[in-house]
């Protein structure tokens, strides 16, 4: 559903990504609104180099497009929403420079506008990387909804940037103003982090925004014990690959397989790429795709898709992305191909999977998770 976002900078039609026919959620929140009102009332932005971090669906970038901001995000969907929302408002795409979360702007930054992300480690990484680019008179404004804004966000800004002052809450949103303290000496950047799966294998690399970056997720641990090993399958997809642990094991079990790693997080794909190379060497072949589920994949092009689906998108909890993954997996599998899925037992994935595939059986279960194998007819 397209909705109108009315702020002092203008009125903009905005949609979330992925697009849903009966979308109930807005493509912006009260923190975007608060931040834009603050900027209109208190900041002269003409001629300033503006960097925006973690814009949800482009509300900030679209509203500030006349100032040609740089928008940095770890989410492919967020970038895609920004592109589509610029086009929907007849704003040229080159008004906003979109950078992924591992890239840096080339020019020094005068104003840093931050949407506080769900994973604070991402913000910590971003502040480490961007601090050397902040001009001495740079002003930093962070914005978030009170209920999702962790106290540690304050501490992080104080530790890595300078003194902070909170705003009053407005419509359940809050701003944090930070000044640049030139005397802060940055501690070493803790990201990426590494953990070992076994003593023999190279450590697993995890960039800051990667799912379960400190240790192996318990669901993934269970799924690793129930992965397909089959001479009948050649083309595998690790869907929502995170750091790639599932796809790495698929490559070990099926040495002649073609594996595609897919995730919408740039940091996930960077981690999976590094982990694949360090395990199998630079000449080993696999494909790494940043994108939304399996959009753009040819129908009937895969034999086996393995998935540990996400249960939220940014701050919104729900199974809509999982459902989209299942539908697209069905289209991308060849007849006789298999989707193998792990889910929390209470999510009852088997009901939707059975409707979609017809043939769906439970392969394994423990107190918390169930693993399903669904065959495409
Ligand atoms: C529960 S994690 C699983 C990660 C990894 N496979 C594991 O088992 O540890 C789900 C993954 O799905 C990714 N994801 C979320 N939305 C996505 C989308 N629309 N398209 C592709 N991947 C997505 C997330 O970034 C995350 O890495």
């Amino acid at each position: 559903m397209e909705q109108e976002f009315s702020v002092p900078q203008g009125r903009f039609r905005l949609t979330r990504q992925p697009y849903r026919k009966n979308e109930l959620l807005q493509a912006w929140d009260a923190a975007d609104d608060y931040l834009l009102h603050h900027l209109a009332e208190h900041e002269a932005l003409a001629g300033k180099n503006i960097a925006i971090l973690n814009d949800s669906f482009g509300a900030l970038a679209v509203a500030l497009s006349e100032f040609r901001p740089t928008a940095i995000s770890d989410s492919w969907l967020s970038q895609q929403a920004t592109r589509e929302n610029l086009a929907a408002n007849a704003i040229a795409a080159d008004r906003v420079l979109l950078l992924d979360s591992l890239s840096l702007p080339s020019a020094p930054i005068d104003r840093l506008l931050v949407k506080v992300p769900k994973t604070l480690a991402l913000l910590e990484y971003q502040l480490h990387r961007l601090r050397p680019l902040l001009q001495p008179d740079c002003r930093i404004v962070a914005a978030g909804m009170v209920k999702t804004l962790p106290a540690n966000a304050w501490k992080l800004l104080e530790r890595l940037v300078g003194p902070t002052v909170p705003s009053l809450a407005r419509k359940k949103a809050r701003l944090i103003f930070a000044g640049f303290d030139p005397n802060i000496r940055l501690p070493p950047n803790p990201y990426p982090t590494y953990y070992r799966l076994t003593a023999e294998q190279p450590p697993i690399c995890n960039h800051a925004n990667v799912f379960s970056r400190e240790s192996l997720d318990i669901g993934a641990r269970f799924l690793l014990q129930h992965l397909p090993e089959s001479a009948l399958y050649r083309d595998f997809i690790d869907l929502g690959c995170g750091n790639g642990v599932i796809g790495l094991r698929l490559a070990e079990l099926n040495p002649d397989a073609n594996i595609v790693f897919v995730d919408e997080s740039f940091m996930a794909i960077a981690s999976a790429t590094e982990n694949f190379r360090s395990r199998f060497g630079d000449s080993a072949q696999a494909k790494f795709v940043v994108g939304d589920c399996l959009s753009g994949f040819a129908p009937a092009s895969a034999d086996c898709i393995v998935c540990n689906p996400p249960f939220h998108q940014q701050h919104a909890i729900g199974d809509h992305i999982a459902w989209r993954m299942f539908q697209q997996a069905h289209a991308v599998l060849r007849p006789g191909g298999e989707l193998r899925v792990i889910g929390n037992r209470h999510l009852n994935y088997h009901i939707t999977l059975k409707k979609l595939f017809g043939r769906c059986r439970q392969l394994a279960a423990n107190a918390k998770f169930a693993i399903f194998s669904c065959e495409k007819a």
Side-chain angles (χ1 to χ4, degrees), residues 222-223 225-229 233 304 306 338-342 350 360-366 369-374:
F222 190 44
L223 183 56
Q225 295 160 12
H226 298 279
L227 287 180
E229 184 177 2
Y233 297 158
C304 182
V306 180
E338 177 189 353
L339 170 65
R340 196 165 290 199
V341 180
I342 183 161
H350 63 282
C360 174
R361 65 198 170 92
Q362 182 174 299
L363 282 186
N366 63 18
F369 298 101
I371 296 174
F372 302 102
S373 164
C374 310

Side-chain angles (χ1 to χ4, degrees), residues 63-187:
L64 297 173
S65 60
E66 67 166 297
F67 305 109
R68 297 187 173 271
T70 298
I72 305 175
S73 164
D74 189 44
S75 164
W76 186 90
L77 276 167
S78 159
Q79 286 199 345
Q80 185 60 11
T82 307
R83 280 187 281 266
E84 303 223 347
N85 286 327
L86 286 168
N89 291 282
I91 300 169
D94 67 0
R95 288 260 165 190
V96 176
L97 176 64
L98 294 172
L99 293 182
D100 67 67
S101 50
L102 292 156
S103 301
L104 289 177
S106 50
I109 298 167
D110 300 308
R111 296 289 178 272
L112 182 64
L113 310 177
V114 181
K115 280 302 286 293
V116 176
K118 187 170 166 63
T119 305
L120 264 194
L122 172 61
L123 179 58
E124 186 176 8
Y125 170 86
Q126 291 172 319
L127 295 177
H128 267 277
R129 296 289 313 282
L130 292 172
R131 188 185 150 97
L133 288 174
L134 302 184
Q135 294 280 36
D137 61 350
C138 179
R139 283 207 285 273
I140 299 102
V141 189
M145 298 305 294
V146 172
K147 74 168 185 236
T148 55
L149 198 56
N152 283 346
W154 263 262
K155 292 186 193 144
L156 211 51
L157 284 160
E158 298 240 333
R159 193 159 59 82
L160 301 179
V161 177
T164 62
V165 180
S167 73
L168 293 174
R170 200 184 95 171
K171 293 190 203 155
K172 300 185 182 163
R174 197 184 293 285
L175 304 179
I176 308 171
F177 305 104
F180 181 79
D181 177 353
N183 298 316
I184 288 180
R185 289 179 63 102
L186 275 185

Side-chain angles (χ1 to χ4, degrees), residues 77 211 220 240-242 245-246 263-265 291-293 308-310 321 325:
L77 276 167
F211 170 77
C241 65
V245 281
I246 303 297
D263 206 290
E264 79 96 33
S265 150
D292 172 28
C293 302
N308 177 9
I321 300 285
M325 286 180 164

Side-chain angles (χ1 to χ4, degrees), residues 168-365:
L168 293 174
R170 200 184 95 171
K171 293 190 203 155
K172 300 185 182 163
R174 197 184 293 285
L175 304 179
I176 308 171
F177 305 104
F180 181 79
D181 177 353
N183 298 316
I184 288 180
R185 289 179 63 102
L186 275 185
N189 186 340
Y191 305 103
T193 54
Y194 293 83
Y195 65 77
R196 281 190 180 274
L197 282 176
T198 66
E200 303 77 47
Q201 289 166 355
I204 298 291
C205 162
N206 299 274
H207 285 285
N209 199 35
V210 168
F211 170 77
S212 201
R213 68 179 181 284
E214 298 295 344
S215 61
L216 183 64
D217 166 58
I218 50 169
R221 184 180 296 279
F222 190 44
L223 183 56
L224 283 173
Q225 295 160 12
H226 298 279
L227 287 180
E229 184 177 2
S230 168
L232 298 175
Y233 297 158
R234 197 186 58 226
D235 298 310
F236 287 83
I237 300 175
D238 179 354
L239 176 55
C241 65
N243 59 17
V245 281
I246 303 297
L248 293 180
R249 184 74 186 130
L250 285 173
E252 278 173 1
L253 293 171
N254 302 276
D256 295 326
N258 303 317
I259 316 249
V260 185
F261 295 81
V262 186
D263 206 290
E264 79 96 33
S265 150
F266 292 97
M267 287 189 165
I269 290 298
S271 309
T273 308
E274 181 170 337
N275 290 326
F276 187 83
R277 303 259 178 273
S278 64
R279 177 82 68 89
F280 300 109
D282 287 339
S283 58
Q285 295 293 314
K287 221 171 134 193
F288 300 90
V289 179
V290 186
D292 172 28
C293 302
L294 298 172
S295 303
F297 281 63
S301 58
D303 299 307
C304 182
I305 299 174
V306 180
C307 184
N308 177 9
F311 24 82
H312 64 83
Q313 183 186 15
Q314 298 180 13
H315 292 289
I317 292 170
D319 63 0
H320 61 290
I321 300 285
W323 174 232
R324 190 174 163 79
M325 286 180 164
F326 302 159
Q327 283 177 309
Q328 295 193 0
H330 185 262
V332 168
L333 282 170
R334 298 189 174 107
E338 177 189 353
L339 170 65
R340 196 165 290 199
V341 180
I342 183 161
N344 230 298
R345 288 175 78 129
H346 75 263
L347 290 172
N348 290 328
Y349 282 156
H350 63 282
I351 298 171
T352 38
L353 288 168
K354 206 162 179 93
K355 265 193 215 147
L356 195 59
F357 281 81
R359 288 178 224 180
C360 174
R361 65 198 170 92
Q362 182 174 299
L363 282 186

